[in-house]
Amino acid sequence: FPVGSCVVLQNLVGGAQYNDKNGIVKSRLTGNGRQEVYVFGVNKSMAIKPINMRYLPRELSSLSVPEMKGVLTASGSSTENELSGLDKESLKGMVAEVTSSPEELAKLIAKANEPA
């Protein structure tokens, strides 16, 4: 998962009390096959395997204009220059055409926001 991704923890056995908790990915994949995730609500960081995370779904109506532009460029459907000057409703329509679910939308937002 890209650093900065909002995730939901799932299928944890040893820490089952953390299942369905939301967090943010704070590190790239380490040598032990885990990523540091700051878990909201319990205010702590944990080393989590990617298989125990899924993207926190995002609804199209919750996106800002910069997030929609990021989704469209991350999906490869448009360049920043092509999106210049478009209003929010036009961008919403374009995003709706390239995404099929809130989970896919969250994945594209994470990809767009991934540090270089």
Side-chain angles (χ1 to χ4, degrees):
F1 288 75
V3 172
S5 300
C6 292
V7 296
V8 180
L9 304 184
Q10 64 182 8
N11 303 320
L12 295 167
V13 177
Q17 69 271 27
Y18 301 112
N19 285 330
D20 298 319
K21 299 284 187 204
N22 297 340
I24 187 165
V25 176
K26 303 300 281 181
S27 74
R28 296 182 187 269
L29 198 62
T30 61
N32 67 357
R34 297 170 185 260
Q35 290 181 271
E36 179 186 353
V37 176
Y38 179 81
V39 183
F40 303 117
V42 294
N43 300 322
K44 71 185 239 178
S45 288
M46 301 170 60
I48 305 291
K49 294 177 185 175
I51 197 166
N52 295 118
M53 296 184 274
R54 62 181 166 84
Y55 287 101
L56 179 65
R58 291 285 305 270
E59 294 296 331
L60 178 55
S61 61
S62 75
L63 300 186
S64 66
V65 167
E67 286 176 318
M68 286 189 270
K69 288 181 177 182
V71 165
L72 292 166
T73 55
S75 72
S77 66
S78 301
T79 65
E80 285 190 39
N81 287 341
E82 294 170 330
L83 301 173
S84 180
L86 293 177
D87 66 10
K88 191 170 186 172
E89 289 306 311
S90 297
L91 292 168
K92 275 187 185 178
M94 293 171 72
V95 170
E97 289 178 16
V98 299
T99 59
S100 59
S101 69
E103 292 79 11
E104 182 183 9
L105 190 54
K107 185 175 182 176
L108 286 169
I109 291 167
K111 181 178 176 184
N113 292 330
E114 185 174 19

Short mmCIF file of all heavy atoms in Angstrom, two decimals, residues 1-9 21-30 33-40 44-56 106 110-111 113-115:
data_model
loop_
_atom_site.label_atom_id
_atom_site.label_comp_id
_atom_site.label_asym_id
_atom_site.label_seq_id
_atom_site.Cartn_x
_atom_site.Cartn_y
_atom_site.Cartn_z
N PHE A 1 0.85 -1.18 0.00
CA PHE A 1 0.00 0.00 0.00
C PHE A 1 0.89 1.24 0.00
O PHE A 1 1.86 1.30 0.74
CB PHE A 1 -0.88 0.02 1.25
CG PHE A 1 -1.98 -1.00 1.23
CD1 PHE A 1 -1.72 -2.34 1.45
CD2 PHE A 1 -3.29 -0.62 0.99
CE1 PHE A 1 -2.74 -3.29 1.43
CE2 PHE A 1 -4.31 -1.55 0.96
CZ PHE A 1 -4.04 -2.89 1.19
N PRO A 2 0.56 2.24 -0.79
CA PRO A 2 1.37 3.45 -0.78
C PRO A 2 1.33 4.14 0.59
O PRO A 2 0.31 4.11 1.28
CB PRO A 2 0.70 4.33 -1.84
CG PRO A 2 -0.05 3.38 -2.71
CD PRO A 2 -0.48 2.27 -1.81
N VAL A 3 2.45 4.77 0.95
CA VAL A 3 2.50 5.56 2.18
C VAL A 3 1.42 6.63 2.09
O VAL A 3 1.22 7.26 1.05
CB VAL A 3 3.89 6.19 2.37
CG1 VAL A 3 3.90 7.16 3.53
CG2 VAL A 3 4.95 5.11 2.56
N GLY A 4 0.69 6.83 3.18
CA GLY A 4 -0.40 7.80 3.22
C GLY A 4 -1.76 7.22 2.93
O GLY A 4 -2.77 7.90 3.07
N SER A 5 -1.82 5.94 2.54
CA SER A 5 -3.11 5.30 2.25
C SER A 5 -3.93 5.15 3.53
O SER A 5 -3.41 4.76 4.57
CB SER A 5 -2.90 3.90 1.67
OG SER A 5 -2.18 3.93 0.48
N CYS A 6 -5.21 5.43 3.42
CA CYS A 6 -6.14 5.16 4.52
C CYS A 6 -6.63 3.73 4.35
O CYS A 6 -7.09 3.35 3.28
CB CYS A 6 -7.30 6.14 4.49
SG CYS A 6 -6.79 7.82 4.88
N VAL A 7 -6.50 2.95 5.43
CA VAL A 7 -6.80 1.53 5.35
C VAL A 7 -7.71 1.09 6.50
O VAL A 7 -7.86 1.80 7.49
CB VAL A 7 -5.51 0.67 5.38
CG1 VAL A 7 -4.66 0.95 4.15
CG2 VAL A 7 -4.71 0.90 6.64
N VAL A 8 -8.28 -0.10 6.34
CA VAL A 8 -9.05 -0.77 7.38
C VAL A 8 -8.32 -2.07 7.67
O VAL A 8 -7.96 -2.81 6.74
CB VAL A 8 -10.49 -1.07 6.91
CG1 VAL A 8 -11.28 -1.78 8.00
CG2 VAL A 8 -11.20 0.20 6.47
N LEU A 9 -8.08 -2.37 8.94
CA LEU A 9 -7.42 -3.62 9.32
C LEU A 9 -8.43 -4.76 9.27
O LEU A 9 -9.59 -4.59 9.63
CB LEU A 9 -6.82 -3.49 10.71
CG LEU A 9 -5.84 -2.33 10.91
CD1 LEU A 9 -5.24 -2.37 12.31
CD2 LEU A 9 -4.75 -2.33 9.86
N LYS A 21 -10.58 -1.59 12.48
CA LYS A 21 -10.08 -0.27 12.89
C LYS A 21 -9.46 0.41 11.67
O LYS A 21 -8.86 -0.24 10.82
CB LYS A 21 -9.02 -0.37 13.99
CG LYS A 21 -9.52 -1.00 15.27
CD LYS A 21 -10.36 -0.05 16.05
CE LYS A 21 -10.69 -0.67 17.41
NZ LYS A 21 -11.87 -0.12 18.00
N ASN A 22 -9.60 1.72 11.60
CA ASN A 22 -9.03 2.50 10.51
C ASN A 22 -7.65 2.99 10.88
O ASN A 22 -7.37 3.27 12.05
CB ASN A 22 -9.91 3.70 10.19
CG ASN A 22 -11.29 3.31 9.71
OD1 ASN A 22 -11.51 2.19 9.27
ND2 ASN A 22 -12.22 4.23 9.79
N GLY A 23 -6.80 3.13 9.85
CA GLY A 23 -5.47 3.65 10.08
C GLY A 23 -4.90 4.27 8.83
O GLY A 23 -5.55 4.32 7.78
N ILE A 24 -3.66 4.74 8.96
CA ILE A 24 -2.96 5.33 7.83
C ILE A 24 -1.59 4.68 7.70
O ILE A 24 -0.90 4.49 8.71
CB ILE A 24 -2.87 6.86 7.96
CG1 ILE A 24 -2.30 7.48 6.69
CG2 ILE A 24 -2.09 7.28 9.19
CD1 ILE A 24 -2.50 8.98 6.60
N VAL A 25 -1.23 4.30 6.49
CA VAL A 25 0.05 3.64 6.24
C VAL A 25 1.16 4.68 6.37
O VAL A 25 1.13 5.73 5.74
CB VAL A 25 0.08 2.98 4.84
CG1 VAL A 25 1.44 2.38 4.55
CG2 VAL A 25 -1.01 1.93 4.74
N LYS A 26 2.16 4.36 7.22
CA LYS A 26 3.24 5.30 7.52
C LYS A 26 4.58 4.89 6.93
O LYS A 26 5.53 5.66 6.98
CB LYS A 26 3.39 5.47 9.03
CG LYS A 26 2.13 5.94 9.75
CD LYS A 26 1.65 7.27 9.27
CE LYS A 26 2.44 8.39 9.87
NZ LYS A 26 2.00 9.72 9.45
N SER A 27 4.70 3.67 6.39
CA SER A 27 5.99 3.23 5.85
C SER A 27 5.77 2.34 4.64
O SER A 27 4.70 1.77 4.44
CB SER A 27 6.78 2.46 6.91
OG SER A 27 6.23 1.16 7.10
N ARG A 28 6.84 2.22 3.89
CA ARG A 28 6.85 1.25 2.78
C ARG A 28 6.99 -0.14 3.37
O ARG A 28 7.24 -0.30 4.56
CB ARG A 28 8.02 1.55 1.85
CG ARG A 28 7.91 2.90 1.17
CD ARG A 28 9.09 3.11 0.22
NE ARG A 28 9.11 4.45 -0.31
CZ ARG A 28 8.52 4.83 -1.44
NH1 ARG A 28 7.84 3.95 -2.16
NH2 ARG A 28 8.58 6.06 -1.86
N LEU A 29 6.87 -1.14 2.53
CA LEU A 29 7.04 -2.53 2.95
C LEU A 29 8.45 -2.73 3.47
O LEU A 29 9.42 -2.34 2.82
CB LEU A 29 6.76 -3.44 1.75
CG LEU A 29 6.48 -4.90 2.02
CD1 LEU A 29 5.23 -5.07 2.87
CD2 LEU A 29 6.31 -5.64 0.71
N THR A 30 8.57 -3.33 4.66
CA THR A 30 9.89 -3.56 5.26
C THR A 30 10.36 -4.98 4.93
O THR A 30 9.63 -5.77 4.35
CB THR A 30 9.82 -3.39 6.79
OG1 THR A 30 8.90 -4.33 7.33
CG2 THR A 30 9.39 -1.98 7.17
N GLY A 33 8.18 -7.96 5.61
CA GLY A 33 6.92 -8.10 4.90
C GLY A 33 5.76 -7.35 5.52
O GLY A 33 4.60 -7.68 5.29
N ARG A 34 6.07 -6.32 6.32
CA ARG A 34 5.02 -5.55 7.00
C ARG A 34 5.19 -4.06 6.72
O ARG A 34 6.25 -3.62 6.28
CB ARG A 34 5.06 -5.80 8.50
CG ARG A 34 4.76 -7.25 8.86
CD ARG A 34 5.05 -7.53 10.33
NE ARG A 34 4.89 -8.93 10.64
CZ ARG A 34 3.80 -9.46 11.21
NH1 ARG A 34 2.80 -8.70 11.54
NH2 ARG A 34 3.74 -10.76 11.44
N GLN A 35 4.13 -3.33 6.99
CA GLN A 35 4.17 -1.88 6.88
C GLN A 35 3.70 -1.29 8.20
O GLN A 35 2.81 -1.84 8.86
CB GLN A 35 3.23 -1.40 5.76
CG GLN A 35 3.73 -1.76 4.38
CD GLN A 35 2.81 -1.24 3.30
OE1 GLN A 35 1.88 -1.93 2.92
NE2 GLN A 35 3.08 -0.03 2.81
N GLU A 36 4.30 -0.15 8.55
CA GLU A 36 3.85 0.54 9.77
C GLU A 36 2.53 1.22 9.46
O GLU A 36 2.39 1.94 8.47
CB GLU A 36 4.88 1.58 10.20
CG GLU A 36 4.45 2.34 11.44
CD GLU A 36 5.39 3.49 11.80
OE1 GLU A 36 6.44 3.63 11.18
OE2 GLU A 36 5.02 4.24 12.70
N VAL A 37 1.55 0.99 10.34
CA VAL A 37 0.23 1.60 10.20
C VAL A 37 -0.10 2.27 11.53
O VAL A 37 -0.05 1.64 12.58
CB VAL A 37 -0.86 0.55 9.87
CG1 VAL A 37 -2.24 1.18 9.82
CG2 VAL A 37 -0.54 -0.15 8.56
N TYR A 38 -0.43 3.56 11.46
CA TYR A 38 -0.92 4.26 12.65
C TYR A 38 -2.41 3.99 12.73
O TYR A 38 -3.16 4.28 11.80
CB TYR A 38 -0.64 5.76 12.58
CG TYR A 38 -1.17 6.50 13.78
CD1 TYR A 38 -0.44 6.51 14.97
CD2 TYR A 38 -2.40 7.13 13.75
CE1 TYR A 38 -0.92 7.15 16.09
CE2 TYR A 38 -2.89 7.78 14.86
CZ TYR A 38 -2.15 7.78 16.03
OH TYR A 38 -2.64 8.41 17.15
N VAL A 39 -2.85 3.41 13.84
CA VAL A 39 -4.25 3.01 14.00
C VAL A 39 -4.98 4.07 14.81
O VAL A 39 -4.64 4.35 15.96
CB VAL A 39 -4.34 1.62 14.69
CG1 VAL A 39 -5.79 1.18 14.78
CG2 VAL A 39 -3.50 0.60 13.93
N PHE A 40 -5.99 4.66 14.18
CA PHE A 40 -6.81 5.68 14.84
C PHE A 40 -7.65 5.02 15.93
O PHE A 40 -8.00 3.86 15.84
CB PHE A 40 -7.73 6.38 13.84
CG PHE A 40 -7.00 7.02 12.69
CD1 PHE A 40 -7.22 6.60 11.40
CD2 PHE A 40 -6.09 8.03 12.91
CE1 PHE A 40 -6.56 7.18 10.33
CE2 PHE A 40 -5.41 8.63 11.86
CZ PHE A 40 -5.65 8.21 10.56
N LYS A 44 -1.89 4.26 18.22
CA LYS A 44 -0.60 3.57 18.21
C LYS A 44 -0.27 3.08 16.82
O LYS A 44 -1.15 2.90 15.99
CB LYS A 44 -0.58 2.43 19.23
CG LYS A 44 -1.41 1.22 18.89
CD LYS A 44 -1.39 0.21 20.03
CE LYS A 44 -0.85 -1.12 19.59
NZ LYS A 44 -0.76 -2.09 20.66
N SER A 45 1.02 2.89 16.59
CA SER A 45 1.49 2.34 15.32
C SER A 45 1.72 0.85 15.48
O SER A 45 2.15 0.39 16.55
CB SER A 45 2.79 3.02 14.90
OG SER A 45 2.53 4.33 14.48
N MET A 46 1.42 0.12 14.42
CA MET A 46 1.57 -1.33 14.43
C MET A 46 2.20 -1.76 13.12
O MET A 46 2.01 -1.12 12.09
CB MET A 46 0.20 -2.00 14.58
CG MET A 46 -0.55 -1.60 15.84
SD MET A 46 -2.27 -2.17 15.85
CE MET A 46 -2.06 -3.92 15.75
N ALA A 47 2.93 -2.88 13.13
CA ALA A 47 3.50 -3.48 11.93
C ALA A 47 2.48 -4.47 11.38
O ALA A 47 2.18 -5.48 12.03
CB ALA A 47 4.82 -4.16 12.24
N ILE A 48 1.93 -4.18 10.20
CA ILE A 48 0.82 -4.96 9.64
C ILE A 48 1.21 -5.51 8.27
O ILE A 48 1.79 -4.81 7.44
CB ILE A 48 -0.44 -4.08 9.50
CG1 ILE A 48 -0.82 -3.43 10.83
CG2 ILE A 48 -1.60 -4.87 8.91
CD1 ILE A 48 -1.33 -4.39 11.89
N LYS A 49 0.86 -6.77 8.01
CA LYS A 49 1.06 -7.36 6.69
C LYS A 49 0.02 -6.79 5.73
O LYS A 49 -1.15 -6.61 6.11
CB LYS A 49 0.89 -8.88 6.75
CG LYS A 49 1.95 -9.59 7.55
CD LYS A 49 1.64 -11.08 7.60
CE LYS A 49 2.62 -11.81 8.50
NZ LYS A 49 2.25 -13.23 8.63
N PRO A 50 0.40 -6.52 4.49
CA PRO A 50 -0.57 -5.99 3.52
C PRO A 50 -1.83 -6.85 3.36
O PRO A 50 -2.91 -6.32 3.14
CB PRO A 50 0.23 -5.94 2.21
CG PRO A 50 1.63 -5.74 2.66
CD PRO A 50 1.75 -6.57 3.93
N ILE A 51 -1.70 -8.16 3.53
CA ILE A 51 -2.87 -9.04 3.41
C ILE A 51 -3.92 -8.74 4.49
O ILE A 51 -5.09 -9.09 4.35
CB ILE A 51 -2.45 -10.53 3.43
CG1 ILE A 51 -3.59 -11.39 2.90
CG2 ILE A 51 -2.01 -10.95 4.81
CD1 ILE A 51 -3.19 -12.80 2.56
N ASN A 52 -3.48 -8.07 5.57
CA ASN A 52 -4.39 -7.73 6.67
C ASN A 52 -4.90 -6.30 6.59
O ASN A 52 -5.36 -5.73 7.59
CB ASN A 52 -3.71 -7.98 8.01
CG ASN A 52 -3.41 -9.43 8.23
OD1 ASN A 52 -2.26 -9.83 8.37
ND2 ASN A 52 -4.44 -10.26 8.25
N MET A 53 -4.83 -5.72 5.39
CA MET A 53 -5.34 -4.36 5.18
C MET A 53 -6.18 -4.33 3.91
O MET A 53 -5.98 -5.13 3.01
CB MET A 53 -4.18 -3.37 4.99
CG MET A 53 -3.27 -3.20 6.17
SD MET A 53 -2.04 -1.91 5.85
CE MET A 53 -0.74 -2.85 5.03
N ARG A 54 -7.10 -3.40 3.89
CA ARG A 54 -7.82 -3.08 2.66
C ARG A 54 -8.00 -1.56 2.66
O ARG A 54 -7.93 -0.92 3.71
CB ARG A 54 -9.16 -3.80 2.56
CG ARG A 54 -10.16 -3.46 3.64
CD ARG A 54 -11.46 -4.26 3.47
NE ARG A 54 -12.28 -4.20 4.65
CZ ARG A 54 -13.13 -3.21 4.94
NH1 ARG A 54 -13.26 -2.21 4.11
NH2 ARG A 54 -13.83 -3.23 6.06
N TYR A 55 -8.17 -1.00 1.48
CA TYR A 55 -8.36 0.44 1.39
C TYR A 55 -9.66 0.85 2.06
O TYR A 55 -10.68 0.16 1.93
CB TYR A 55 -8.38 0.90 -0.08
CG TYR A 55 -7.02 0.86 -0.73
CD1 TYR A 55 -6.67 -0.17 -1.57
CD2 TYR A 55 -6.09 1.86 -0.47
CE1 TYR A 55 -5.42 -0.21 -2.17
CE2 TYR A 55 -4.83 1.83 -1.07
CZ TYR A 55 -4.51 0.79 -1.91
OH TYR A 55 -3.27 0.75 -2.50
N LEU A 56 -9.63 1.97 2.77
CA LEU A 56 -10.84 2.54 3.35
C LEU A 56 -11.65 3.12 2.20
O LEU A 56 -11.18 4.01 1.49
CB LEU A 56 -10.48 3.64 4.35
CG LEU A 56 -11.64 4.35 5.04
CD1 LEU A 56 -12.41 3.37 5.93
CD2 LEU A 56 -11.14 5.52 5.86
N ALA A 106 -10.67 4.63 -3.65
CA ALA A 106 -9.69 4.81 -2.58
C ALA A 106 -8.30 4.40 -3.04
O ALA A 106 -7.30 5.06 -2.71
CB ALA A 106 -10.10 4.00 -1.35
N ALA A 110 -4.98 6.85 -3.26
CA ALA A 110 -3.71 6.50 -2.63
C ALA A 110 -2.57 6.54 -3.64
O ALA A 110 -1.48 7.05 -3.35
CB ALA A 110 -3.80 5.11 -1.98
N LYS A 111 -2.82 6.01 -4.83
CA LYS A 111 -1.80 6.02 -5.89
C LYS A 111 -1.44 7.46 -6.27
O LYS A 111 -0.27 7.79 -6.44
CB LYS A 111 -2.31 5.25 -7.11
CG LYS A 111 -1.32 5.16 -8.24
CD LYS A 111 -1.89 4.35 -9.40
CE LYS A 111 -0.94 4.35 -10.57
NZ LYS A 111 -1.52 3.65 -11.73
N ASN A 113 -1.61 10.09 -4.44
CA ASN A 113 -0.96 10.79 -3.33
C ASN A 113 0.35 10.15 -2.88
O ASN A 113 0.98 10.64 -1.95
CB ASN A 113 -1.91 10.89 -2.13
CG ASN A 113 -3.07 11.78 -2.41
OD1 ASN A 113 -2.98 12.73 -3.16
ND2 ASN A 113 -4.21 11.48 -1.81
N GLU A 114 0.74 9.07 -3.53
CA GLU A 114 1.95 8.36 -3.13
C GLU A 114 3.18 9.25 -3.28
O GLU A 114 3.38 9.87 -4.33
CB GLU A 114 2.12 7.09 -3.97
CG GLU A 114 3.28 6.24 -3.55
CD GLU A 114 3.33 4.91 -4.30
OE1 GLU A 114 2.71 4.80 -5.38
OE2 GLU A 114 4.00 4.00 -3.81
N PRO A 115 4.01 9.32 -2.23
CA PRO A 115 5.24 10.11 -2.36
C PRO A 115 6.16 9.53 -3.43
O PRO A 115 6.17 8.32 -3.65
CB PRO A 115 5.91 9.98 -0.99
CG PRO A 115 4.84 9.49 -0.07
CD PRO A 115 3.86 8.74 -0.92
#
